[in-house]
PDB file of all heavy atoms in Angstrom:
ATOM      1  N   SER A 177     -15.947  59.061 -48.382  1.00 58.00           N
ATOM      2  CA  SER A 177     -15.699  60.431 -47.988  1.00 58.00           C
ATOM      3  C   SER A 177     -15.470  61.303 -49.292  1.00 58.00           C
ATOM      4  O   SER A 177     -15.581  60.772 -50.427  1.00 58.00           O
ATOM      5  CB  SER A 177     -14.596  60.580 -47.060  1.00 58.00           C
ATOM      6  OG  SER A 177     -13.395  60.253 -47.759  1.00 58.00           O
ATOM      7  N   GLY A 178     -15.241  62.602 -49.107  1.00 92.00           N
ATOM      8  CA  GLY A 178     -14.972  63.385 -50.254  1.00 92.00           C
ATOM      9  C   GLY A 178     -16.244  63.880 -50.894  1.00 92.00           C
ATOM     10  O   GLY A 178     -17.345  63.784 -50.252  1.00 92.00           O
ATOM     11  N   LYS A 179     -16.166  64.376 -52.068  1.00 95.00           N
ATOM     12  CA  LYS A 179     -17.357  64.923 -52.776  1.00 95.00           C
ATOM     13  C   LYS A 179     -18.469  63.937 -52.967  1.00 95.00           C
ATOM     14  O   LYS A 179     -19.566  64.372 -53.300  1.00 95.00           O
ATOM     15  CB  LYS A 179     -16.817  65.513 -54.132  1.00 95.00           C
ATOM     16  CG  LYS A 179     -16.060  66.744 -53.937  1.00 95.00           C
ATOM     17  CD  LYS A 179     -15.704  67.396 -55.331  1.00 95.00           C
ATOM     18  CE  LYS A 179     -14.607  66.511 -56.067  1.00 95.00           C
ATOM     19  NZ  LYS A 179     -14.273  67.169 -57.276  1.00 95.00           N
ATOM     20  N   ASN A 180     -18.105  62.572 -52.895  1.00 97.00           N
ATOM     21  CA  ASN A 180     -19.143  61.652 -53.119  1.00 97.00           C
ATOM     22  C   ASN A 180     -19.901  61.122 -51.848  1.00 97.00           C
ATOM     23  O   ASN A 180     -20.682  60.240 -51.949  1.00 97.00           O
ATOM     24  CB  ASN A 180     -18.499  60.380 -53.782  1.00 97.00           C
ATOM     25  CG  ASN A 180     -17.923  60.698 -55.137  1.00 97.00           C
ATOM     26  OD1 ASN A 180     -18.377  61.600 -55.747  1.00 97.00           O
ATOM     27  ND2 ASN A 180     -16.849  60.013 -55.452  1.00 97.00           N
ATOM     28  N   GLU A 181     -19.658  61.745 -50.800  1.00 98.00           N
ATOM     29  CA  GLU A 181     -20.350  61.372 -49.485  1.00 98.00           C
ATOM     30  C   GLU A 181     -21.825  61.572 -49.713  1.00 98.00           C
ATOM     31  O   GLU A 181     -22.298  62.610 -50.227  1.00 98.00           O
ATOM     32  CB  GLU A 181     -19.820  62.143 -48.375  1.00 98.00           C
ATOM     33  CG  GLU A 181     -20.425  61.704 -46.989  1.00 98.00           C
ATOM     34  CD  GLU A 181     -19.745  62.322 -45.765  1.00 98.00           C
ATOM     35  OE1 GLU A 181     -18.529  62.154 -45.572  1.00 98.00           O
ATOM     36  OE2 GLU A 181     -20.589  62.995 -45.079  1.00 98.00           O
ATOM     37  N   ARG A 182     -22.589  60.621 -49.186  1.00 98.00           N
ATOM     38  CA  ARG A 182     -24.016  60.628 -49.404  1.00 98.00           C
ATOM     39  C   ARG A 182     -24.693  60.545 -48.079  1.00 98.00           C
ATOM     40  O   ARG A 182     -24.322  59.860 -47.198  1.00 98.00           O
ATOM     41  CB  ARG A 182     -24.476  59.472 -50.238  1.00 98.00           C
ATOM     42  CG  ARG A 182     -24.122  59.637 -51.780  1.00 98.00           C
ATOM     43  CD  ARG A 182     -24.575  58.476 -52.661  1.00 98.00           C
ATOM     44  NE  ARG A 182     -24.272  58.741 -53.975  1.00 98.00           N
ATOM     45  CZ  ARG A 182     -24.470  57.892 -54.961  1.00 98.00           C
ATOM     46  NH1 ARG A 182     -24.857  56.647 -54.779  1.00 98.00           N
ATOM     47  NH2 ARG A 182     -24.222  58.204 -56.220  1.00 98.00           N
ATOM     48  N   THR A 183     -25.806  61.309 -47.992  1.00 98.00           N
ATOM     49  CA  THR A 183     -26.606  61.258 -46.824  1.00 98.00           C
ATOM     50  C   THR A 183     -28.077  60.964 -47.146  1.00 98.00           C
ATOM     51  O   THR A 183     -28.591  61.412 -48.215  1.00 98.00           O
ATOM     52  CB  THR A 183     -26.467  62.600 -45.931  1.00 98.00           C
ATOM     53  OG1 THR A 183     -27.192  62.282 -44.688  1.00 98.00           O
ATOM     54  CG2 THR A 183     -27.117  63.853 -46.580  1.00 98.00           C
ATOM     55  N   PHE A 184     -28.750  60.435 -46.216  1.00 99.00           N
ATOM     56  CA  PHE A 184     -30.212  60.118 -46.432  1.00 99.00           C
ATOM     57  C   PHE A 184     -31.041  61.174 -45.703  1.00 99.00           C
ATOM     58  O   PHE A 184     -30.909  61.324 -44.476  1.00 99.00           O
ATOM     59  CB  PHE A 184     -30.570  58.678 -45.912  1.00 99.00           C
ATOM     60  CG  PHE A 184     -31.974  58.389 -46.053  1.00 99.00           C
ATOM     61  CD1 PHE A 184     -32.520  58.100 -47.242  1.00 99.00           C
ATOM     62  CD2 PHE A 184     -32.807  58.330 -44.940  1.00 99.00           C
ATOM     63  CE1 PHE A 184     -33.860  57.789 -47.351  1.00 99.00           C
ATOM     64  CE2 PHE A 184     -34.162  58.055 -44.993  1.00 99.00           C
ATOM     65  CZ  PHE A 184     -34.700  57.790 -46.349  1.00 99.00           C
ATOM     66  N   ILE A 185     -31.861  61.892 -46.453  1.00 99.00           N
ATOM     67  CA  ILE A 185     -32.669  62.945 -45.834  1.00 99.00           C
ATOM     68  C   ILE A 185     -34.162  62.607 -46.173  1.00 99.00           C
ATOM     69  O   ILE A 185     -34.341  62.135 -47.324  1.00 99.00           O
ATOM     70  CB  ILE A 185     -32.426  64.304 -46.482  1.00 99.00           C
ATOM     71  CG1 ILE A 185     -30.926  64.762 -46.284  1.00 99.00           C
ATOM     72  CG2 ILE A 185     -33.344  65.406 -46.065  1.00 99.00           C
ATOM     73  CD1 ILE A 185     -30.551  65.060 -44.803  1.00 99.00           C
TER      74      ILE A 185
END
Side-chain angles (χ1 to χ4, degrees):
S177 68
K179 288 185 286 184
N180 296 331
E181 186 173 299
R182 287 176 172 175
T183 189
F184 177 75
I185 300 289

